[in-house]
Amino acid sequence: MNRIKKGDQVIVTAGKDKGKKGDVVRVLGDKVVVSNINIVKRHTKPNPQANQPGGVIEREAPIHVSNVMPFNPASGKGERIGTKVLEDGRRIRVFRSSGEAVDA
């Protein structure tokens, strides 16, 4: 079970954007793309077939999953995630500090 999923709010713990918060847009194996985090400039050639203009385009680059932590709105900071098995056999993600469910 992945600790971080699409749609989670995370806080960056390392790198040039340390301390910033954002939502996970995409999960790519052991990397995640977070909205408005790790912005890079990409120089692209125009592609008339895809109706894409050329120039310098800013977009989010992937960041390693070890450099982000799920954000707990109750405590106001990033916290570690664990898993808990319910009575009916389902597994849920919980914050390790408080034990409350992440997906609640």
Side-chain angles (χ1 to χ4, degrees):
M1 174 178 253
N2 288 339
R3 296 182 191 280
I4 296 179
K5 294 182 177 179
K6 179 180 175 179
D8 285 351
Q9 190 174 20
V10 295
I11 188 165
V12 180
T13 58
K16 65 179 183 180
D17 293 322
K18 182 177 180 176
K20 293 184 180 176
K21 286 185 282 193
D23 294 325
V24 175
V25 177
R26 226 169 39 238
V27 177
L28 308 165
D30 61 349
K31 296 188 179 217
V32 292
V33 177
V34 183
S35 62
N36 297 321
I37 301 293
N38 199 19
I39 301 291
V40 295
K41 294 186 181 207
R42 172 114 173 113
H43 294 70
T44 58
K45 290 175 106 175
N47 186 352
Q49 293 169 340
N51 200 12
Q52 177 183 5
V56 181
I57 297 171
E58 290 188 350
R59 66 181 182 103
E60 296 108 356
I63 185 170
H64 198 270
V65 75
S66 66
N67 295 329
V68 296
M69 279 186 109
F71 182 74
N72 186 354
S75 68
K77 51 187 175 180
E79 295 189 6
R80 295 184 298 163
I81 294 262
T83 59
K84 185 177 180 183
V85 180
L86 299 177
E87 301 85 36
D88 58 358
R90 290 186 300 136
R91 295 173 67 114
I92 60 167
R93 299 180 302 154
V94 295
F95 288 113
R96 286 201 185 156
S97 63
S98 61
E100 64 184 62
V102 176
D103 304 317

